[in-house]
Amino acid sequence: MAVKLGVAALAAGATITGALAQDKPAPFDDPGDVKIALVRYLSTGDFFQAYLSGVERQAEALGVDLRVFDSRQDAALQADMVDQAIALGVDGIVVQHGLTESMTEAVQRAVDAGIKVVAFDVNVENDAVPQVEQSDQLLAQLALEQAIKDNGESFTAGYVYVPGIAPLDRRDEKWREFKDKYSGINEVAQFGTLDNPIANSVANQASAVLRANPTINVMFAPYDEFAKGVKIAVDEAGLNNDIKIYSADVSSADIQAMREDDSAWVATAATNPAVVGEVSVRALAMLLAGEDPGQSVIVPPTLITRDMLMDLDIQNMEQLSAKLPQFAHADVAVPAWMPLPER
């Protein structure tokens, strides 16, 4: 009797599982036949490794075949890699960062081939392509509001910026807005590079800037590799008690740097890059299923301060997610049928 009941229960379970599988829209009722590609421009640094892990986890949860193309900041190669993905016959592409001038035509070729495309932090000037964003203006706003709170409305600033990268351009818009609003902000130096290794290259620039501008007391470095470079220069100059660094993005290495004794890196605004990776794949999956994730798919950011990390004894990304639930998951692009990664 017990055996019969167990068999019946298994049969019922199989029926339920089958029903759930049938509830998934095409092509995810047979996900093994779905091929997607991630075409990357930037990959250096913990943020991009975490982003990749999120893409991989969500692709695994969906059961699709993921191919990863990494151009390592070579714009022409990234465009070629989009063409390689088209030639492979992928169903969808996530474009991660890049330059508008090199990616617009490449993405249009993919769209013309019937391939669904989602872009993360690159403007490809195409209405058929949803843009996944961290709300870069809000990231900058959160960090800059903390700078005003800590330093008042008048301070001497250095600013790290490289134009032409969509998220940095959006963060720059907020920086310029803050300078207009607070006339006491005196920007005496702007610098920046994406030459690898980014942090060390920025550190070399920052050292020269600090020697030439000894009155700087705030550094706005709205990308964590920039902030790492500034911190190296500040520490080497022995100015860690005289300068405060404000940034965007976060990783376990960033958290450790912010927790160091007398660290100048006092605040960053960030989304969980792994969650952004998951959202990028989910938005693409919705397109493939004939659903609309929206033209702008925004993952909300969180302000993270050094004081918060110390008070809550947060030492890595796992603890950050555990102690700040809003950082661990974004309820974005989650239709009822969508399988999510295990937590």
Side-chain angles (χ1 to χ4, degrees), residues 19-31 34 62 64 285-291 335-339:
L20 288 174
Q22 290 170 2
D23 286 342
K24 292 180 185 176
F28 297 102
D29 50 353
D30 191 9
V34 178
L62 283 164
V64 301
M286 290 180 68
L287 282 182
L288 289 171
E291 300 177 2
W337 62 267
M338 182 77 69

Side-chain angles (χ1 to χ4, degrees), residues 123-261:
N123 179 15
V124 297
E125 298 180 338
N126 195 312
D127 291 340
V129 178
Q131 173 71 241
V132 178
E133 299 179 26
Q134 304 178 81
S135 184
D136 290 286
Q137 291 198 358
L138 184 53
L139 280 169
Q141 179 176 322
L142 290 172
L144 290 168
E145 285 175 346
Q146 187 64 35
I148 296 293
K149 180 179 178 181
D150 292 344
N151 303 279
E153 297 181 5
S154 298
F155 51 79
T156 303
Y159 175 44
V160 192
Y161 173 52
V162 175
I165 303 297
L168 298 181
D169 290 344
R170 289 192 289 263
R171 296 169 195 186
D172 179 64
E173 290 173 10
K174 186 58 65 172
W175 171 240
R176 287 186 279 112
E177 179 183 310
F178 261 69
K179 287 192 298 179
D180 289 342
K181 181 177 180 181
Y182 299 103
S183 59
I185 297 176
N186 180 24
E187 178 191 315
V188 295
Q190 178 182 312
F191 60 100
T193 178
L194 289 172
D195 291 346
N196 283 321
I198 296 172
N200 291 341
S201 299
V202 169
N204 292 335
Q205 292 182 333
S207 294
V209 166
L210 291 174
R211 287 193 298 270
N213 301 277
T215 61
I216 288 176
N217 61 335
V218 167
M219 279 284 197
F220 183 45
Y223 166 34
D224 59 344
E225 292 299 307
F226 291 169
K228 287 178 186 176
V230 171
K231 184 178 182 301
I232 290 170
V234 168
D235 288 348
E236 288 178 348
L239 297 172
N240 48 302
N241 289 313
D242 302 310
I243 293 173
K244 291 184 171 66
I245 302 168
Y246 299 85
S247 73
D249 308 324
V250 72
S251 69
S252 290
D254 299 343
I255 290 170
Q256 288 300 313
M258 292 175 71
R259 285 177 55 90
E260 288 177 8
D261 291 343

Side-chain angles (χ1 to χ4, degrees), residues 35-39 81-82 85-86 90-95 110 115-119 284:
K35 288 189 291 189
I36 66 172
L38 170 65
V39 181
M81 286 177 166
V82 171
I86 295 170
V90 300
D91 302 286
I93 299 174
V94 176
V95 177
I115 297 169
K116 301 298 184 184
V117 181
V118 165
L284 181 62

